[in-house]
Amino acid sequence: MATTTIKAYGVTAATEDLKPLAIQRRAVEADDVKIDITYCGVCHSDIHTARDDWKGSTYPVVPGHEIIGRVTEVGNGVNNYKVGDLVGVGCMVDSCQTCSSCEQDLEQFCEKGATFTYNSPDKHNEGAQTYGGYATSVVVDEKFVLRIPENLDEAATAPLLCAGITTWSPLSHWKVKKGDKVGVIGLGGLGHMGVKFAHALGAHVVMITTSPEKGKDAKRLGADEVLVSKDADDMKKHQGSFDFILNTIPVGHEMDPYLGLLKIDATMVLVGAVEPLKPFHGGGLIGGRKRIAGSLIGGIKETQEMLDFCGKHNITSDIELIDMQDINTAFERVTANDVKYRFVIDMKSLK
Ligand code: NAP
Ligand code: ZN
């Protein structure tokens, strides 16, 4: 298969720093769009994968699934994009397109396994794996390319491709509406988008945080109230009052305190902790018919709907723009809970 060598950044082992790597991208096939990457967001999942937190990472890992760029080439079967278009690529680059999940626009749950943007077996190149957006360009099937509203700030749009859809999808699936009391746990990349979306949907938004110093920002982002989860009195005040909680904590944690916040029949959706949670008391769910659920990114159709909503309501991320060469510091700062509220790499620095 014809390939081109391009510049990227990645890790060759779980304990190594990220460093410059040369990787191969396939030549454009009939359904493909080639994208010159201008910006790429830094998701906590990039760190989990680079560090093999979830096990199953295959090295080298080139992370990056919040990709923004301009189309530079299209295959002869491409209908929806042309050279020069502003586009995005999120967490997936392929799926079977025929199973019942794919038919319901839920490619993230493809029964044959979705091809994720990095660290997935590459269907186009047997034996190889996918490499993400910490790179100068990418080649993607047009079905997995998103259209980016031109009125939005290009760099600040990158995080919508993962942090945006991952918070939008549960708010939409569980039908959060005007007047609902919605809690968002964790003011990081995902959480700050959760606050913006819940606010835009008309909910009464409560930022639930371990970091009291983030309270002022939470309100600027759209929270009506701030609840410091370490403050037992404050937690008690909000007991049994939430219609919906979006939980973005990236690690295993105590569940009981948060379950106590839910109303009867209310749901808490987990998106962060892909690892064992601390044991919790069944009574906390039974006494109130409460639910815990999970959610994984969102389908391609839903991602486009989210982007169009953002274009209409002028919603983007709050970002810190960095050069590719600063990525190791960015990883350390995200791990230390020190980012406002998403790092985005300016890919000019790699070219
Ligand atoms: P992030 O920017 O690091 O934000 C996580 C936030 O959680 C922190 O800012 C902090 O907020 C809070 N937090 C951190 N450690 C905590 C702890 N031990 N206990 C309580 N709160 C804690 O991460 P992110 O990029 O938003 O990602 C969050 C998680 O979602 C990651 O695990 C990521 O892999 C996962 N993820 C899942 C999906 C999906 O489809 N399900 C998609 C993307 C990412 P406060 O300071 O406000 O407490
Ligand atoms: Zn992500």
Side-chain angles (χ1 to χ4, degrees):
M1 192 182 75
T3 59
T4 314
T5 304
I6 62 154
K7 287 185 193 175
Y9 251 67
V11 285
T12 51
T15 51
E16 299 273 302
D17 276 352
L18 288 100
K19 61 178 187 206
L21 296 174
I23 59 165
Q24 304 297 311
R25 294 290 195 208
R26 69 173 182 265
V28 169
E29 296 170 12
D31 298 329
D32 285 338
V33 170
K34 183 172 182 179
I35 302 162
D36 176 38
I37 300 175
T38 49
Y39 299 100
C40 185
V42 178
C43 179
H44 207 128
S45 302
D46 297 353
I47 302 172
H48 291 307
T49 309
R51 300 289 168 243
D52 204 17
D53 290 342
W54 297 329
K55 307 301 164 202
S57 296
T58 307
Y59 294 91
V61 169
V62 174
H65 58 204
E66 295 182 337
I67 300 169
I68 295 288
R70 292 275 171 188
V71 175
T72 55
E73 192 183 335
V74 294
N76 53 24
V78 168
N79 297 312
N80 297 315
Y81 297 98
K82 58 178 194 317
V83 170
D85 284 353
L86 182 63
V87 294
V89 177
C91 302
M92 296 179 283
V93 289
D94 217 338
S95 74
C96 82
Q97 299 288 314
T98 56
C99 73
S100 72
S101 296
C102 288
E103 278 182 352
Q104 294 172 74
D105 297 307
L106 297 169
E107 299 88 353
Q108 72 272 36
F109 305 124
C110 174
E111 288 162 19
K112 307 236 168 65
T115 303
F116 293 97
T117 304
Y118 54 79
N119 209 62
S120 256
D122 186 355
K123 276 197 230 158
H124 292 265
N125 189 3
E126 185 140 3
Q129 67 166 348
T130 54
Y131 294 125
Y134 294 6
T136 51
S137 65
V138 66
V139 176
V140 180
D141 185 308
E142 72 161 327
K143 287 188 230 46
F144 289 81
V145 175
L146 286 310
R147 189 168 293 284
I148 304 298
E150 289 273 0
N151 60 310
L152 297 176
D153 177 77
E154 213 176 301
T157 303
L160 300 178
L161 277 308
C162 174
I165 184 59
T166 302
T167 50
W168 171 267
S169 181
L171 291 169
S172 153
H173 182 78
W174 275 272
K175 300 189 170 56
V176 163
K177 57 182 187 314
K178 200 171 163 42
D180 283 353
K181 182 168 172 180
V182 171
V184 178
I185 309 177
L187 187 49
L190 267 54
H192 95 289
M193 289 313 304
V195 168
K196 289 188 184 203
F197 286 143
H199 174 74
L201 294 168
H204 179 87
V205 186
V206 182
M207 182 71 239
I208 304 172
T209 179
T210 59
S211 313
E213 69 280 4
K214 291 184 186 171
K216 212 168 140 200
D217 274 351
K219 292 210 167 148
R220 176 178 57 76
L221 295 167
D224 298 284
E225 292 182 73
V226 176
L227 168 54
V228 177
S229 52
K230 293 183 284 196
D231 180 335
D233 288 340
D234 217 11
M235 288 291 276
K236 212 166 164 189
K237 259 188 258 158
H238 287 268
Q239 196 80 350
S241 68
F242 284 85
D243 295 289
F244 182 82
I245 294 179
L246 179 63
N247 180 341
T248 76
I249 301 174
V251 290
H253 56 276
E254 296 285 356
M255 296 281 279
D256 285 319
Y258 301 114
L259 293 175
L261 296 172
L262 294 172
K263 266 186 189 165
I264 294 171
D265 280 331
T267 302
M268 175 162 79
V269 174
L270 303 176
V271 290
V274 190
E275 60 181 6
L277 298 160
K278 299 269 168 66
F280 56 91
H281 200 292
L285 293 176
I286 294 167
R289 205 160 56 186
K290 298 175 184 178
R291 307 181 194 101
I292 301 172
S295 190
L296 178 67
I297 46 175
I300 294 299
K301 182 164 173 254
E302 192 178 31
T303 306
Q304 189 62 61
E305 286 163 8
M306 178 271 310
L307 288 165
D308 295 344
F309 180 91
C310 289
K312 201 165 151 208
H313 296 269
N314 212 9
I315 295 174
T316 53
S317 281
D318 285 37
I319 65 161
E320 295 189 44
L321 198 62
I322 58 166
D323 286 343
M324 189 72 256
Q325 295 74 14
D326 300 329
I327 190 66
N328 289 300
T329 312
F331 269 31
E332 280 164 27
R333 284 188 49 201
V334 172
T335 310
N337 194 4
D338 172 29
V339 52
K340 289 185 173 169
Y341 281 92
R342 197 60 135 187
F343 287 114
V344 171
I345 305 158
D346 184 345
M347 217 47 81
K348 274 200 299 289
S349 57
L350 185 59
K351 293 166 187 166

